[in-house]
Amino acid sequence: MARLDQFIAASTPLSRKDAKRAISAGRVQVDGVPCTGANIKLPVDAVVTLDGQTCTLPGERYLMLNKPAGVVSATRDSEHPIALDLLPEALSVNLHIAGRLDADTTGLLLLTTDGQWSHRITSPRVDCPKTYRVTLSDELSESAVQQLQQGVSLRNDPQPTRPARVRVLEQRLIELTISEGRYHQVKRMLAAVGNHVSALHRVSIGAITLDPALEPGQYRVLTPKEIDSVG
Ligand code: URA
């Protein structure tokens, strides 16, 4: 947790003294509320603005977003809303997505400026488990569970999937953990066992779990522990 005046001095060209002046002059807002206390402690995910501009610390940025349905996991799309549209502009500069989701998939989306970090999440050579809550159109048979656990052949893909973990939660609701990220992988795996995905939600990537406090469309910065867990 940083003090507000320290944070302003570290994230803008202002000196500490000038940062204090700017704060007492009411030029600084924390989470949209004007703040004149130079020594308040900032929560890690506070959005601080100076004269209406969001302040970010230099260095890498790591965020989680609860992606709503209908938002495209892309940094540019002329027709549809994109994930970056849900973030303040100053935070979204140079961010990329570590592991995309289909437009109709909801849940955990990680965004970062750190290419090496995202590579450790997305590289097929690294075993980074991703867990999805999958709503199915039909009940999953015991033999389908076993096939998914052992690996299935996807259409137009000669390589069978790596063994997956399946947890049956309800009759038509399962949790599926996979360590690859092939195109439409979960939907194609369920199609391969004769089922159909009617809703898909990503719950976790490695040790990072979607924060239950985040409503669809909301984001927060990752904690140092979450960042270090990808290693
Ligand atoms: N698998 C899919 O089929 N879709 C996603 O969005 C993620 C994994």
Side-chain angles (χ1 to χ4, degrees):
M1 266 200 216
R3 275 172 51 136
L4 182 57
D5 55 347
Q6 285 168 344
F7 182 85
I8 294 288
S11 60
T12 73
L14 298 187
S15 66
R16 184 87 166 269
K17 203 161 131 197
D18 287 339
K20 281 188 174 151
R21 285 202 186 114
I23 294 166
S24 25
R27 293 165 57 197
V28 172
Q29 295 195 346
V30 178
D31 291 332
V33 180
C35 182
T36 50
N39 55 4
I40 68 146
K41 293 270 195 295
L42 288 174
V44 69
D45 58 349
V47 176
V48 179
T49 58
L50 171 68
D51 299 330
Q53 299 292 311
T54 304
C55 307
T56 51
L57 292 171
E60 307 289 8
R61 268 166 281 134
Y62 306 85
L63 308 172
M64 71 161 72
L65 170 74
N66 184 358
K67 186 183 110 43
V71 169
V72 176
S73 293
T75 42
R76 219 172 282 167
D77 189 297
S78 51
E79 283 172 37
H80 305 98
I82 59 169
L84 292 189
D85 291 339
L86 298 169
L87 307 173
E89 210 177 312
L91 266 188
S92 67
V93 179
N94 294 333
L95 281 182
H96 62 269
I97 293 165
R100 291 164 187 267
L101 292 174
D102 297 336
D104 58 356
T105 302
T106 57
L108 179 64
L109 198 64
L110 296 176
L111 302 108
T112 182
T113 52
D114 185 343
Q116 291 189 359
W117 188 82
S118 58
H119 183 73
R120 293 200 291 276
I121 289 174
T122 55
S123 167
R125 277 189 286 279
V126 183
D127 193 6
C128 178
K130 287 112 189 159
T131 297
Y132 294 86
R133 201 158 348 107
V134 191
T135 309
L136 300 166
S137 58
D138 300 301
E139 193 176 345
L140 200 61
S141 66
E142 187 48 42
S143 87
V145 171
Q146 278 173 20
Q147 287 176 59
L148 293 171
Q149 283 171 337
Q150 281 160 13
V152 292
S153 293
L154 304 179
R155 249 183 104 196
N156 302 326
D157 197 336
Q159 191 77 10
T161 56
R162 283 190 206 151
R165 218 169 49 227
V166 182
R167 237 163 44 98
V168 178
L169 304 177
E170 290 171 22
Q171 220 173 45
R172 289 186 292 109
L173 182 68
I174 63 164
E175 212 170 71
L176 181 71
T177 303
I178 58 174
S179 57
E180 305 163 279
R182 297 193 219 173
Y183 183 64
H184 294 326
Q185 179 159 345
V186 174
K187 292 174 185 166
R188 290 163 72 212
M189 284 174 77
L190 271 303
V193 296
N195 213 307
H196 176 79
V197 173
S198 54
L200 189 55
H201 179 82
R202 185 155 62 197
V203 178
S204 63
I205 296 178
I208 304 175
T209 299
L210 180 64
D211 188 331
L214 293 179
E215 298 288 335
Q218 290 185 331
Y219 73 94
R220 71 160 168 80
V221 299
L222 296 189
T223 64
K225 198 169 155 203
E226 286 169 333
I227 296 166
D228 290 346
S229 73
V230 176

